[in-house]
Amino acid sequence: MRLVDAVYQRIVGYAKERNISMNALATLGGVPRPTIVTMTRSKTVTLSTVYGVCEGLGITLQEFFASPLFDKENVDD
């Protein structure tokens, strides 16, 4: 899977786990909502976007990327 898709899946998973809407998460993290929602149509995602999402979730970047989604064998770009 593309890295941007793995990031989006991780964001969605955390949001569902914490019962937070994408709109609320965007507000909490100071990230424009369209940036999150249109992420999968993009080829890239910025670290500042992921950082903002992490801030909104109250987690570290390390926690965010501690997932098999980001293992080398699961990311093809």
Side-chain angles (χ1 to χ4, degrees):
M1 101 174 50
R2 298 178 317 148
L3 182 58
V4 70
D5 294 327
V7 168
Y8 186 74
Q9 281 187 19
R10 189 73 164 151
I11 291 169
V12 169
Y14 268 116
K16 284 183 180 178
E17 177 183 294
R18 293 163 186 219
N19 202 26
I20 301 172
S21 71
M22 288 297 168
N23 193 38
L25 179 56
T27 300
L28 288 169
V31 177
R33 183 182 171 279
T35 299
I36 295 174
V37 176
T38 62
M39 189 178 294
T40 59
R41 289 182 273 189
S42 176
K43 293 182 181 179
T44 62
V45 61
T46 65
L47 188 55
S48 61
T49 297
V50 177
Y51 185 81
V53 167
C54 289
E55 286 290 306
L57 291 167
I59 63 171
T60 65
L61 285 169
Q62 293 86 353
E63 289 172 295
F64 184 85
F65 287 110
S67 167
L69 285 172
F70 302 108
D71 288 351
K72 190 173 184 171
E73 62 271 7
N74 294 330
V75 177
D76 60 22
D77 64 351

